[in-house]
Amino acid sequence: MEPLDRSTRWPYDEQGELREFHYQRFGSPTVAAAEEALGELDGGTALLFPSGAGATTALVLSVLAPGDTIAVAEGGYYGTGLTFAALAHWGLRVVEFDQTGAPPDGVQLIWLEAPTNPYLTMPDLEAAAAHPAPVVVDATVATPIQLRPLEHGADFVLHSATKYLAGHDDALLGAIVCRDATTADELRTFRSNTGIVAAPDAAWLLLRGLKTLELRVKRQAETAALLAERLRAHPAVETVRYPGFGGLLSFDVADAETARKVETSTRVIVNATSLGGVMSLIESRARWEGERVPPGLLRLSVGLEDSETLWADLEQALG
Ligand code: PLP
């Protein structure tokens, strides 16, 4: 493994000039190594931030001006809406649109999610790329193993690296991967000056996670596909949402009470929020999102446990 360097400062060179790394807020070796690895996976220039929400904040403040409008995919991660709402008094405006079609005119940024959490819809990347505004794709759930949005005309990829990329539920981290190197430089300067900077420890955990990303995602997708198929055939399950790849799915049971009973009855699958880790997690989303989701909607993040063990756990919880 690459070494973990926690230093906040590095000596100037023999002539008293700056070396590549001098003060951690401007850049550090472990963060830079993780950015290099992620940039290669996504085919762009990656920058790390202390969380996915922090990456969202930094990008919006860096590329937009007061009065600008973001067209955001409806049914996407509810927390992104909360981040935008927190920036409303700086003049940020937001309109929701159906990302399976073309984005509306007159917006300055397009915010897609591939696929949405927890509705699992995929964006029309071609229609978005044809729009004059820059396009951000939150590909947290797809990961670069399943989708490389920059190859489909996106300008920025956003990851909650907390999820699949780090992969073990022990690092909070976000990333923006930029198609254009000059834009990346501007965002890096904005990051240094505003201090929205990722810690080396989290970056090191990301580096480690990336080494197994492909294996994990493939296995999680295989298991998720199997569980989705069996859930579709289960009499207590009404709707199953699974885009056909990746490790995240959602399904509806009759009502909120049934959902609460199912999520508190699993023994292997942990009743907790988040997704993308090696352990399977289940939760009713209405506790967070209220009426934005059906009351019986359960989100299941499939981990690396044996698929038959997971199915047996779901079956007994649904029964
Ligand atoms: N984007 C998606 C799709 C997410 O699921 C999340 C977190 O759940 C985020 C962004 C925000 O990431 P973080 O929790 O790392 O701030």
Side-chain angles (χ1 to χ4, degrees), residues 51-53 77 80 113 117 138 140 158 160 162-163 172-173 275:
S51 65
Y77 174 55
T80 299
E113 210 172 290
N117 162 18
D138 179 338
T140 296
L158 180 132
S160 168
T162 313
K163 308 298 189 316
L172 189 73
L173 205 58
L275 58 103

Side-chain angles (χ1 to χ4, degrees), residues 102-123:
D105 292 335
V107 300
Q108 286 68 48
L109 190 65
I110 296 160
W111 201 280
L112 311 175
E113 210 172 290
T116 49
N117 162 18
Y119 282 98
L120 285 316
T121 70
M122 284 297 283

Side-chain angles (χ1 to χ4, degrees), residues 197-220:
V197 173
D201 286 83
W204 189 86
L205 288 168
L206 172 61
L207 267 173
R208 195 186 57 180
L210 289 180
K211 297 195 196 300
T212 56
L213 179 67
E214 186 171 0
L215 282 174
R216 284 186 285 109
V217 165
K218 285 191 170 154
R219 165 69 183 259
Q220 284 162 321

Side-chain angles (χ1 to χ4, degrees), residues 114-231:
T116 49
N117 162 18
Y119 282 98
L120 285 316
T121 70
M122 284 297 283
D124 183 339
L125 293 172
E126 215 176 303
H131 193 286
V135 176
V136 183
V137 179
D138 179 338
T140 296
V141 173
T143 81
I145 304 303
Q146 312 270 5
L147 179 73
R148 288 156 53 101
L150 302 184
E151 289 175 358
H152 298 270
D155 299 281
F156 302 98
V157 184
L158 180 132
H159 295 288
S160 168
T162 313
K163 308 298 189 316
Y164 291 97
L165 300 186
H168 295 73
D169 294 332
D170 54 6
L172 189 73
L173 205 58
I176 303 280
V177 189
C178 307
R179 187 148 65 121
D180 176 55
T182 309
T183 313
D185 281 343
E186 286 164 11
L187 185 57
R188 185 183 290 108
T189 301
F190 183 85
R191 178 180 71 173
S192 299
N193 292 337
T194 54
I196 313 177
V197 173
D201 286 83
W204 189 86
L205 288 168
L206 172 61
L207 267 173
R208 195 186 57 180
L210 289 180
K211 297 195 196 300
T212 56
L213 179 67
E214 186 171 0
L215 282 174
R216 284 186 285 109
V217 165
K218 285 191 170 154
R219 165 69 183 259
Q220 284 162 321
E222 262 173 44
T223 308
L226 177 86
L227 296 179
E229 189 188 310
R230 293 200 185 160
L231 284 166

